[in-house]
Amino acid sequence: MQVRRVGPFAGVTVVVAGLAAGGAVPPWPGVVHLVGLPPLDLFADARVLLVLAPSWPWFAVGLAGVVAVRVMVLAMLLGGLHRWRRAALCYGLALPPLLLAAQLDYMAYALRYSRLFWPAAALAIAVVLTLAPSPWRTGGGGRVSERPEVQARVERRASSVPGRFAVLVPYAVVVTVLGVAAGRGGWVAVALVPVSAVATLVAGAALARPARPARRWTVVPLAVLTGAAGVAFVVTRGGPDAPYPPVRAGSLVLMSGINSASGKGAVFRTDVRRLGFTCAQTYYVSYAGPGGGAARGEAACPIRGGAPYGPSSTRRPVREQVDAFAAQVRGLPEPVTVVALSQGAWVAWEAVASGRAPGVRTLVLAGPFGGRSLGYRAPGDDGPGRVAGDLLRALAALAGRAGFAFAPDSPGARELLGTAGAGGAILARPVPDGVRTMAVTSTTDLPLTPSAWRLNVDRNACPVRANHSALPTAPGFARQVGRFLDGAGAPRCPRWRAWGAPMIEPFGVPIVDAVTYR
């Protein structure tokens, strides 16, 4: 590549670094993607615009502006502005799926729902790997097209799976390392922007350079090893079941999360015997409040107390949810041990911290979310995140038609999810002396709280290799909770258990304090 053709890209790098240094663009780990190999840069643009654009007109103008700049810069890298059609085609094909991925990404962070994050990241990675090599088929300079035989070699390399593999895999490794390092934030993230830009130029030059495609025999063994490692990871995820301990004294209270219902969900399927309790000691909290019990459904034990409830009850105002919890826990045989999943962790903690559940002596949080959260704006409220909030409501309505009911503007959702940092503020409150607390996080949730999954509790368990909603039924959950209830020390936690979070976190959205509801 000639220096004059790199000039516009260098200018973009300086602008990005300057905006990050000044705070106009949050220096989150994904800031290194803003100068990434196209169309990774467009995915980063979409995430920033969704979080920061204060209105639809600003979002539309901003998106049109960044696409125009990206097309011009890529065309120059390809040899000159006459390459604009190929650059525009690359970004045009990438824009719709990357916008969808960016919105799902935003929703995952706003709703604290990792089942949206992983498909969003997978979609973005697939689009980038598919489209990143395509524009470079014209070569890195005008001289390539002047010789048909050389141009043919470039086409073969760009269209060859092994050829792309030989360039994109090393580039992906470099970008991943840069993203992990940028997770330190501040000036570290800013300083890594030009380093990421250099990696992009090197990768682009490698894709454009006429060279012999990589041999297939170099690709097949690595693909086989990768597949075998993936299978081994899945097969070993569960681990051995926890032993049955002696029966403990007191009561066990189990509480589900948002959109749960009586007798449905993993909390109800919890094998209470592995925690050291019998069905006679087990109680299930109803979001509808006290009552005479409900149909057993999937529950491991009879549901002997609480009124029957459905998903709508989990969206009541937080004060009412806390009242319902406190009323059902009060008077149970002590000491009371509570295991609360997801939203239930916030409700149970608030009740215990406020002194409304004095009989609780042990509080186990399953899949809790602390620290900063993104939130989403109220309907019609202009400000950062307006577009993403409107799209969140539209997609929630579509999900409701497909059978997944979620009301983002219900009282409970607005208070706990729509308000930036609400859940973290609840878990920051101290609990009374004598209450032992434990947090058990799912590894699939770690990208949403990579630096805040360790809470201010007596024990942060080693992250469990299980989905968020399946935590209460995971063998690793029962083993660690059992040791905590026994007063035994925490088992050794492999260092690699949380490595995936900082590696994938750069594909998330920046969290800014300005996004909150009124």
Side-chain angles (χ1 to χ4, degrees), residues 42-68 95-96 98-104 106 382-392 509:
L42 184 62
F43 181 51
D45 292 331
R47 287 176 283 164
V48 171
L49 285 172
L50 284 172
V51 170
L52 296 183
S55 66
W56 279 95
W58 275 108
F59 179 81
V61 170
L63 185 62
V66 297
V67 170
L95 184 59
L98 290 184
L99 276 177
L100 174 61
Q103 176 61 26
L104 293 177
Y106 172 91
D382 278 346
R386 163 66 191 273
V387 174
D390 289 349
L391 292 175
L392 182 152
V509 297

Side-chain angles (χ1 to χ4, degrees), residues 250-253 281-283 285 327-336 359:
S251 306
L252 174 65
V253 174
Q281 298 172 285
T282 301
Y283 303 85
V285 173
Q328 293 170 76
V329 172
R330 191 179 303 118
L332 294 181
E334 299 182 10
V336 176

Side-chain angles (χ1 to χ4, degrees), residues 137 144 147-159 210:
R137 295 178 184 180
V144 172
R147 299 179 58 188
E149 69 278 8
V150 176
Q151 175 63 23
R153 292 173 64 188
V154 175
E155 294 288 345
R156 286 197 303 271
R157 176 181 176 81
S159 60

Side-chain angles (χ1 to χ4, degrees), residues 335-346:
V336 176
T337 298
V338 175
V339 176
L341 174 66
S342 194
Q343 173 179 299
W346 290 326

Side-chain angles (χ1 to χ4, degrees), residues 329-431:
V329 172
R330 191 179 303 118
L332 294 181
E334 299 182 10
V336 176
T337 298
V338 175
V339 176
L341 174 66
S342 194
Q343 173 179 299
W346 290 326
V347 175
W349 189 281
E350 175 65 22
V352 174
S354 62
R356 303 190 59 190
V360 175
R361 289 294 175 264
T362 304
L363 179 55
V364 177
L365 310 180
F369 287 101
R372 299 170 63 195
S373 61
L374 194 59
Y376 50 88
R377 304 202 76 86
D381 182 17
D382 278 346
R386 163 66 191 273
V387 174
D390 289 349
L391 292 175
L392 182 152
R393 292 180 180 85
L395 291 176
L398 290 176
R401 295 180 181 179
F404 181 80
F406 176 69
D409 293 310
S410 60
R414 284 235 57 89
E415 291 181 69
L416 293 173
L417 300 175
T419 306
I426 290 175
L427 297 183
R429 295 189 61 184
V431 296

